[in-house]
Amino acid sequence: MAFNDLREYISFMRSKKKLIEIYDEVDSILEIAEITRRATYFHLPPLLFKNVKGYPGWSVITNIFYSIEAFYELFNTKNLEEITSSFLEKMLGFMPITFSGKIKSLFDMLKLGKLLPSKKKPEFKEADLDFNKIPALKTWPKDAGRYLTFSILITKDPDTGVHNLSVYRMQILNEKEVIVHWQALKRGSLTSFKYKEKGITKIPAAIVNGVDPIIAFVAASPVPPGLDKYVFSGILRNEGVPVHELDNGLLVPSTAETVFEGYIDINDVRLEGPFGDHLGYYTPPDYYPVFKMEKAYARDNPIFHATSVGKPPLETEWIGKATERLFLPFIKMLIPEIVDMNLPEYGLFTGIGIFSIKKYYPGQAKKTMMSIWGLGQLSLLKMVIIVDADVNVHDLNQVLYTISTTVDPKRDILIVDNIITDSLDHTTPYPPLGSKIGIDATRKFKEELGKEWPEELASDENVVKKVMPLWEKIKSQYHL
């Protein structure tokens, strides 16, 4: 379901009685974050704070991604994989053989044109606004200050012109400057290397807040490199994103609540942090580049979108779970033996990944591990567990049973050292380099085991057929 803007989404949730509107005065320093985390833990719907201390005329919305149910509402389906799967089928169908196939392919391509961003007059206008005038949150007591936690940084690839929209934490320094915490593997950071190679040290950028939640979700997601996030937003919305071109050449959503136009000075790096992050610990200070604001824009009575991270499951984990489902068709296309995957919420999205595969040959599980660790955001996974196709990766008890009955530690555990990992992981001695573990929990071929795999237990079918009526009677008697 495509919403024109954040306001339409809020009206939609209000109509469904799934919006908690808070009129009591609440402070953006620690209080909003504390209430928000408690709401997420209880799977309460979004919170709209209407009376933020020191910020008259502003509202703050949090907890938009309050559980996986939030995504079912946004996309109007519980089958999230089908959204991207159907798109891939259309794209792969653009190589027709027959004449009738070519006609159908042309028609599908024309329909896909509606998914592209289109220019539209902005809802915002230039405003007397700066970073000290917005209700940005301080989320944990020992954070270095107030942070933008769900604002979107927009940059553009200098070679391809592809726009990148990303959600990074950004520490407010003063009215015109914030520090951008982008990690080594993030698209914004990788784009900065291209500018640096061209001798450009001031990267055109914009910081946007308050958009259609699907656009916000895409900005927070690991969209494959090279794919414009505006285009991917259009795919998920089934409708192109309306955009406006700023003076610095960047396209921003026309319906955004606030926009800060400026540049990132990659020669100006300053100490950012500490910050209470999604691992449940404070990440220590480190040096990152500074965004410098030149112009500001806002809508009347603006709404500020924020979140608070911490120990799971909070919004970060539900975004990760939706990403898992939506991106599974892409991953299956790149690694065809994969059947399903589970990135458990308590595994922190980059901590543990469980994958089932169709196993056809010896050594395939370890080959799959290597493929996974070479694939975008999945390269950050610290632990990868591979199971057979008949194992339900979402049933952790079944996974534990499988590990217990298929794994010989010496043969089936792979340790990879001195490799890229999540730079927020405090367990690594020299981030972003650390180690990874892979567990082959598949049934072993004779070449792997040295003998035939034993026969699994199974009931006698005739006995099952005979006792079923009695078993149904017992179940009915004890309300099983």
Side-chain angles (χ1 to χ4, degrees), residues 58 124 127-134 148 151-154 172 175-176 178 204-209 246 248 250 252 256-263 291-298 304:
W58 284 83
F124 52 79
D128 178 22
L129 188 65
D130 61 50
F131 292 119
N132 286 339
K133 294 179 180 178
I134 60 175
L148 308 178
S151 292
I152 300 168
L153 180 76
I154 300 177
I172 294 175
E175 66 273 8
K176 290 185 178 294
V178 298
I207 295 175
V208 169
N209 187 280
L246 299 178
N248 64 3
L250 292 178
V252 299
E257 295 290 323
T258 60
V259 177
F260 292 101
E261 180 180 358
Y263 61 92
F291 171 90
K292 301 182 179 183
M293 187 264 284
E294 295 177 309
K295 287 183 181 179
Y297 309 84
F304 186 76

Side-chain angles (χ1 to χ4, degrees), residues 432-445:
L433 296 179
S435 60
K436 299 183 183 297
I437 182 172
I439 300 176
D440 175 2
T442 60
R443 301 180 192 90
K444 302 305 179 289
F445 289 173

Side-chain angles (χ1 to χ4, degrees), residues 407-472:
V407 173
D408 172 74
K410 183 177 179 180
R411 180 193 63 222
D412 298 327
I413 292 180
L414 175 68
I415 302 290
V416 183
D417 197 12
N418 204 36
I419 190 171
I420 191 74
T421 188
D422 189 345
S423 64
L424 299 177
D425 185 354
H426 55 274
T427 67
T428 58
Y430 306 108
L433 296 179
S435 60
K436 299 183 183 297
I437 182 172
I439 300 176
D440 175 2
T442 60
R443 301 180 192 90
K444 302 305 179 289
F445 289 173
K446 187 175 182 179
E447 295 92 333
E448 297 169 307
L449 185 63
K451 56 184 177 181
E452 295 294 338
W453 192 257
E455 182 181 358
E456 290 188 50
L457 300 179
S459 298
D460 184 287
E461 291 184 9
N462 291 325
V463 172
V464 170
K465 186 176 180 180
K466 183 178 180 180
V467 304
M468 279 307 292
L470 176 57
W471 174 239
E472 291 299 329

Side-chain angles (χ1 to χ4, degrees), residues 13-30:
M13 295 300 283
R14 185 183 287 122
S15 71
K16 291 173 65 72
K17 301 189 184 307
K18 285 194 171 184
L19 181 71
I20 299 175
E21 300 188 67
I22 300 168
Y23 292 90
D24 301 75
E25 184 180 76
V26 183
D27 202 324
S28 62
I29 305 300
L30 299 179

Side-chain angles (χ1 to χ4, degrees), residues 84-85 87-89 91-92 224 327-338 375:
T84 44
S85 179
F87 171 75
L88 283 174
E89 286 175 9
M91 289 299 294
L92 294 175
F327 283 82
L328 179 60
F330 287 98
I331 293 166
K332 290 169 74 171
M333 182 179 71
L334 296 170
I335 311 175
E337 60 261 43
I338 287 180
L375 200 59

